[in-house]
Amino acid sequence: MIIILKPQATEQDANEILDKISSLGLKPLYMPGIERTVLGALGDERVLSQLHLDAYPMVDEIKPVLSPYKLVSRELQAHDSIVSIGGVKVGGGNFTVIAGPCSVESEAQLMSISKMIKSYGVPLLRGGAFKPRTSPYSFQGLGLEGLQLLKAARETFQLPVVSEIIDPNDADLMRDYVDCYQIGARNMQNFRLLEAVGKQTDKAVLLKRGMSATLEELLLAAEYIINAGNPNVILCERGIRTFETATRNTLDLNAVAYLKEKSHLPVFVDPSHGTGVKSLINPLSRAAVAVGADGIIVETHLNPKEALSDGHQALTGEDFATLMADIKPFVAAAGKSL
Ligand code: PEP
Ligand code: MN
């Protein structure tokens, strides 16, 4: 429920209502604006009716939040959220590229890729240290050693790091090494993991859509993180499973436009996993800009044939140079800056 106060309402008026909201076991929200203060009350619908807000003279308007998700909804916050990843601002008027290998494999691999992406002005490095693999026989990631290499790359190239968490117990360990926790498609509804990154950190979380998750399920997964205390969530469309087998997944660009309409959170696109086809990453990146995405996350490798995971979809340095040049006019047309 959203409670809009009259313009002359004081902070004391707001506090009185917030106390009442808390006393009923509901979650109070305080959103002071330039002209008016807006309050929120979240929780059980039956308890909400016990607030008797008509008894408060400074309440101007009461609006229900109709969607099942609340904190992520544009109904609650009309303006776009801007999320910082190690000081790099994501969302708003920015179009942000995150690039790097699927997995961190070695110092030489990570440093050479970091140097390459940095030379094209990419502000953020991705790389998996903990890999959720379909087969137990596939490369599972370097673990702590991978995190240490990511930290070294961050320091050498001034590139804040995005890396996947697969175990809630790793949240503390990873804090020192990453600037943004990625929650992968396979873990989008791992509710203990969502709560861990909600409670144990205020660093950014890149939440990828499950491969068969609806958009409502994605938004409710984001709601878990924010409800647990961390508002710095970025949504990511990474392709879904459909009847189509020509591509690894079907990149659902409807999702981007829909999520931008329904939520104030930044929305990213992952055209690497979304297509799984190297030649399609460039056109789908341009489409992502055009449909309103706030950024892309792309896999790169300087020697894809030797890659320990996802080499088939990794962009080489040359492909990456073309991609950066090709998205430029689209970013300008969208009125954003790279
Ligand atoms: C990845 O980013 O390397 C990855 C495993 O992505 P997803 O969870 O989208 O499959
Ligand atoms: Mn990958």
Side-chain angles (χ1 to χ4, degrees):
M1 181 181 286
I2 298 167
I3 305 142
I4 303 162
L5 301 186
K6 290 185 177 157
Q8 65 271 31
T10 62
E11 205 174 321
Q12 198 185 335
D13 296 317
N15 284 335
E16 205 182 310
I17 298 170
L18 291 168
D19 287 347
K20 172 81 173 174
I21 293 169
S22 306
S23 73
L24 289 172
L26 298 165
K27 190 182 178 97
L29 298 171
Y30 177 60
M31 297 170 279
I34 296 166
E35 286 171 17
R36 280 160 182 258
T37 294
V38 176
L39 307 179
L42 301 182
D44 191 328
E45 304 283 328
R46 290 160 302 180
V47 184
L48 283 171
S49 65
Q50 294 170 27
L51 276 171
H52 301 300
L53 291 166
D54 35 357
Y56 294 87
M58 284 302 152
V59 171
D60 197 16
E61 215 183 320
I62 304 162
K63 287 202 250 175
V65 180
L66 296 174
S67 54
Y69 43 85
K70 315 288 179 192
L71 296 162
V72 305
S73 171
R74 274 221 196 263
E75 292 181 82
L76 204 68
Q77 181 188 306
H79 64 270
D80 283 349
S81 281
I82 295 178
V83 174
S84 165
I85 302 183
V88 175
K89 300 265 182 287
V90 164
N94 307 302
F95 188 85
T96 309
V97 178
I98 305 171
C102 177
S103 306
V104 178
E105 298 168 3
S106 67
E107 184 176 6
Q109 175 241 20
L110 190 63
M111 290 298 173
S112 57
I113 293 175
S114 302
K115 186 170 178 194
M116 185 276 285
I117 64 165
K118 184 77 185 182
S119 75
Y120 294 108
V122 169
L124 297 168
L125 172 67
R126 65 148 286 150
F130 300 105
K131 296 302 299 179
R133 303 306 301 279
T134 302
S135 163
Y137 307 118
S138 300
F139 177 58
Q140 304 286 314
L142 293 180
L144 179 60
E145 188 192 342
L147 294 177
Q148 287 162 342
L149 293 174
L150 285 165
K151 189 176 173 180
R154 168 172 68 191
E155 272 153 30
T156 308
F157 297 100
Q158 303 301 310
L159 283 168
V161 162
V162 180
S163 195
E164 182 163 353
I165 178 167
I166 59 174
D167 183 336
N169 295 317
D170 290 337
D172 284 338
L173 166 76
M174 290 176 74
R175 187 173 300 117
D176 191 32
Y177 300 95
V178 310
D179 303 280
C180 174
Y181 292 82
Q182 175 175 320
I183 300 225
R186 288 154 194 81
N187 275 312
M188 188 204 84
Q189 284 189 313
N190 181 338
F191 300 112
R192 295 294 86 81
L193 190 58
L194 300 174
E195 282 171 351
V197 294
K199 279 200 188 100
Q200 295 179 42
T201 180
D202 59 1
K203 288 193 176 183
V205 178
L206 182 78
L207 177 64
K208 296 182 104 181
R209 180 185 185 182
M211 56 191 87
S212 54
T214 65
L215 295 175
E216 186 172 301
E217 286 165 342
L218 171 61
L219 288 163
L220 284 168
E223 188 87 5
Y224 262 90
I225 301 170
I226 302 181
N227 191 44
N230 184 355
N232 301 311
V233 179
I234 301 162
L235 304 170
C236 182
E237 163 59 38
R238 50 76 72 203
I240 51 173
R241 281 262 166 91
T242 67
F243 54 81
E244 183 54 72
T245 53
T247 51
R248 180 176 178 181
N249 289 295
T250 296
L251 187 64
D252 179 12
L253 292 178
N254 288 3
V256 181
Y258 183 90
L259 293 168
K260 290 299 297 179
E261 194 174 297
K262 298 293 176 190
S263 174
H264 53 82
L265 298 176
V267 178
F268 268 54
V269 165
D270 174 348
S272 300
H273 295 90
T275 63
V277 180
K278 206 168 93 138
S279 62
L280 300 183
I281 293 171
N282 185 316
L284 270 303
S285 296
R286 286 179 268 142
V289 186
V291 78
D294 296 292
I296 49 174
I297 177 164
V298 184
E299 289 185 347
T300 56
H301 203 290
L302 298 188
N303 192 358
K305 281 196 220 78
E306 305 277 298
L308 297 180
S309 62
D310 284 350
H312 64 279
Q313 67 192 30
L315 299 184
T316 62
E318 200 181 319
D319 302 325
F320 194 72
T322 309
L323 172 72
M324 291 304 284
D326 286 357
I327 61 171
K328 232 180 205 154
F330 284 77
V331 174
K336 294 185 178 169
S337 43
L338 255 177

